[in-house]
């Protein structure tokens, strides 16, 4: 049986974990019994100095986003420094892992485990195929890029242009999009079916996905939505029990109904059953929403790493960029004007988007390479 070693992370946001889950699901669905996948958290291979950085991610992006932007810029400008130090930190455990598992191909879905791992493969003369699958749609750091990789899977045409312009041979770059987890796909068989089932005159259904926003901001958005629109509101708080409890307290004396959810096991059903998604524009949240055909209204993006994503959405008619909290409501006004004309247009663009439903294509591309080698 052929073996793929996937290098990911556990605590640096939703995206890397969702991508590796999607890829494992894809290989199990199409190549069960032929290709085996093993997922490793790259940070767990490192010493405590490096591994402790992983769990700082969530506090940083919530409370110190500008500091995170600075760190993102540092990694972008000091690629060799980061790769050298991470290589040194993970080398012993990674070599042991390679000898024990003996993979046919390594797939990295985290930027810190590209050049660093390629350094180790080169030093120890391992002849193992190495793929990078980039999980940032548009704001791509240079630390993702290493000319020694056999293939770099790009999430967008714009991303591909950036990769090639920054020294990677175009023969090594393939453009697909972002793979998403099982069930995060359109429930419509064709564009006519989509149009038929678009809510153009019923009560507006709004999903608010909280990706580490402060509870006071979420509460403000809920109140303004109810003031301006006749709507049902669903709020997903994620895994943070603290945020869930804080929002729940604020809603105790609130006189309108809000469906407050902690961690949603079947988030895809909420994507399918709502008309508008309000969220911070993390790449994977955006990709999953596009695949499920729900127009996106940005409530911001992480500085540096994600700041280009809401602009990309607007330029490709996949969602709406905003410049402030109150601008969220301006964009909703635009979506529902003239019989929700813009809302329908965005859903149509999402349905026709080249980066939708690409997991199977990526899985088969990698499997074909393994079989040929």
């Amino acid at each position: 049986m052929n073996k793929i070693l996937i290098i990911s992370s556990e605590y640096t946001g939703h995206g890397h974990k969702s991508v590796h889950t999607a890829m494992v699901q894809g290989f199990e669905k199409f190549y069960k019994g032929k290709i085996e996948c093993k997922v490793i958290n790259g940070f767990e291979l490192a010493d405590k100095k490096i591994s402790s950085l992983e769990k700082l991610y969530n506090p940083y992006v919530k409370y110190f986003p500008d500091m995170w932007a600075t760190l993102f810029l540092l990694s972008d400008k000091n690629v060799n420094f980061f790769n050298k130090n991470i290589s040194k930190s993970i080398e012993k455990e990674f070599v042991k892992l390679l000898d024990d598992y003996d993979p046919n191909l390594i797939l990295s879905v985290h930027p810190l485990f590209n050049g660093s791992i390629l350094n180790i493969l080169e030093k120890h003369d391992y002849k193992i195929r190495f793929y990078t699958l980039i999980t940032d749609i548009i704001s791509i750091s240079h630390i993702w890029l290493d000319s020694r990789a056999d293939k770099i899977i790009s999430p967008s045409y714009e991303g591909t242009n950036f990769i090639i312009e920054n020294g990677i041979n175009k023969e090594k770059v393939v453009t697909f999009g972002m793979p998403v987890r099982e069930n995060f796909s359109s429930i419509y068989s064709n564009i006519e079916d989509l149009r038929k089932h678009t809510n153009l005159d019923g009560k507006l259904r709004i999903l608010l996905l909280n990706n580490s926003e402060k509870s006071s901001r979420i509460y403000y958005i809920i109140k303004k939505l109810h003031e301006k629109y006749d709507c049902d509101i669903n709020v997903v708080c994620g895994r943070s029990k603290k945020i869930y409890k804080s929002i729940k307290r604020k809603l105790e004396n609130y006189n309108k109904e809000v469906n407050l959810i902690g961690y949603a096991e079947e988030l895809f059903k909420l994507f399918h059953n709502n008309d508008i998604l309000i969220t911070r524009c993390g790449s994977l949240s955006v990709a999953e929403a596009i695949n499920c055909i729900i127009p996106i209204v940005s409530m911001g993006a992480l500085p540096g790493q994600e700041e280009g994503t809401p602009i990309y959405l607007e330029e490709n008619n996949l969602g709406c960029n905003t410049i402030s909290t109150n601008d969220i409501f301006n964009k909703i006004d635009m979506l529902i004007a003239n019989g929700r004309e813009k809302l329908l247009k965005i859903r149509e663009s999402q349905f026709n988007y080249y980066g939708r439903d690409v997991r199977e294509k990526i899985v088969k591309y990698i499997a074909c390479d393994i079989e040929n080698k």
Side-chain angles (χ1 to χ4, degrees):
M1 185 183 293
N2 287 311
K3 298 177 183 177
I4 296 176
L5 180 64
I6 301 176
I7 314 297
S8 185
S9 66
E10 184 71 19
Y11 301 107
T12 55
H14 164 75
H16 308 294
K17 190 172 181 178
S18 291
V19 166
H20 81 234
T21 300
M23 295 303 293
V24 170
Q25 289 173 341
F27 281 109
E28 287 179 349
K29 183 174 182 177
F30 299 107
Y31 295 96
K32 191 171 184 179
K34 296 181 179 179
I35 295 176
E36 173 187 293
C37 292
K38 183 182 183 70
V39 179
I40 289 295
N41 179 353
F43 288 95
E44 290 186 352
L45 301 170
D47 57 34
K48 288 185 178 180
K49 184 172 69 174
I50 299 293
S51 62
S52 63
L53 293 175
E54 182 188 21
K55 292 183 180 179
L56 291 175
Y57 176 86
N58 284 329
Y60 262 71
V61 299
K62 182 176 180 180
Y63 298 109
F64 312 106
D66 290 336
M67 289 180 67
W68 173 257
T70 300
L71 183 59
F72 178 83
L73 184 62
L74 279 172
S75 69
D76 187 51
K77 299 295 185 183
N78 298 274
V79 172
N80 290 336
F81 172 82
F82 276 83
N83 285 340
K84 181 180 177 181
N85 281 277
I86 292 168
S87 294
K88 185 187 294 186
S89 179
I90 69 174
E91 182 177 359
K92 181 179 177 181
E93 292 299 320
F94 188 65
V95 167
K96 184 176 183 299
L97 172 64
L98 291 181
D99 291 341
D100 289 344
Y101 190 61
D102 190 25
N104 302 92
L105 184 143
I106 298 169
L107 175 65
S108 171
V109 300
H110 195 286
L112 294 183
F113 305 109
N114 294 290
S116 59
I117 283 179
L118 285 162
N119 285 347
I120 296 169
L121 297 180
E122 188 173 68
K123 178 180 177 180
H124 293 268
D125 200 31
Y126 285 105
K127 306 300 181 185
I128 304 171
R129 300 285 286 170
F130 185 92
Y131 273 44
T132 295
L133 198 168
I134 295 177
T135 60
D136 293 312
I137 289 180
I138 194 69
S139 301
I140 299 173
S141 168
H142 289 87
I143 203 164
W144 276 111
L145 311 181
D146 195 300
S147 60
R148 295 171 295 177
D150 293 289
K151 293 290 180 181
I152 296 178
I153 299 174
S154 170
S156 64
Y157 291 136
E158 292 88 341
T160 296
N161 291 337
F162 175 85
I163 294 164
I164 294 170
E165 287 167 3
N166 282 274
I168 304 299
N169 187 323
K170 65 180 181 180
E171 299 301 321
K172 290 191 171 189
V173 187
V174 287
T175 309
F176 284 108
M178 301 281 281
V180 298
R181 296 171 290 171
E182 197 73 24
N183 297 315
F184 283 89
S185 58
S186 172
I187 57 177
Y188 310 108
S189 56
N190 53 60
I191 199 81
E192 289 75 21
D193 190 34
L194 177 149
R195 290 169 182 153
K196 179 181 175 182
H197 291 95
T198 297
N199 178 18
L200 296 178
D201 52 18
K203 193 173 186 179
L204 200 61
R205 301 164 300 193
I206 299 176
L207 175 61
L208 186 52
L209 185 60
N210 182 22
N211 310 77
S212 73
E213 298 297 321
K214 293 178 180 178
S215 58
S216 56
R217 188 182 188 210
I218 299 298
Y219 181 61
Y220 175 79
I221 293 171
I222 291 169
K223 285 200 307 177
K224 290 291 289 184
L225 288 172
H226 273 144
E227 286 173 14
K228 289 181 64 67
Y229 314 108
D230 178 23
C231 62
D232 290 327
I233 301 175
N234 296 283
V235 181
V236 176
C237 299
R239 295 186 183 276
S240 174
K241 293 179 180 178
K242 183 178 179 181
I243 291 174
Y244 175 83
K245 290 177 180 177
S246 178
I247 297 173
K248 189 174 183 179
R249 279 195 301 269
K250 291 180 181 298
L251 292 171
E252 281 178 357
N253 297 314
Y254 190 63
N255 59 2
K256 293 195 177 181
E257 186 176 346
V258 177
N259 182 25
L260 186 65
I261 304 164
Y263 177 72
E265 289 286 350
E266 296 183 323
L267 182 62
F268 61 90
K269 288 185 177 179
L270 292 168
F271 281 9
H272 290 150
N273 295 329
N274 283 273
D275 304 309
I276 295 171
L277 171 66
I278 303 172
T279 185
R280 193 194 81 197
C281 285
S283 292
L284 260 294
S285 297
V286 160
E288 289 175 343
I290 292 169
N291 274 262
C292 290
I293 320 294
I294 179 169
I296 303 155
V297 176
S298 169
M299 61 175 171
L302 191 60
Q305 185 178 353
E306 298 170 355
E307 62 189 9
T309 306
I311 299 169
Y312 175 83
L313 291 178
E314 190 149 290
E315 288 176 345
N316 288 274
N317 202 35
L318 302 168
C320 301
N321 185 24
T322 60
I323 58 173
S324 66
T325 299
N326 284 325
D327 195 33
I328 291 171
F329 314 111
N330 296 332
K331 294 303 163 54
I332 294 175
D333 288 343
M334 178 187 68
L335 289 174
I336 65 176
N338 301 318
R340 302 181 185 173
E341 179 183 13
K342 181 68 173 176
L343 185 146
L344 176 59
K345 292 294 183 185
I346 287 180
R347 280 165 62 82
E348 290 173 345
S349 294
Q350 290 177 332
F351 188 87
N352 292 319
Y353 179 55
Y354 67 87
R356 192 173 67 82
D357 289 345
V358 298
R359 184 189 67 177
E360 180 180 347
K361 297 174 186 176
I362 297 173
V363 164
K364 289 185 175 180
Y365 183 88
I366 295 173
C368 181
D369 189 26
I370 293 175
E371 290 167 357
N372 288 338
K373 294 301 176 183

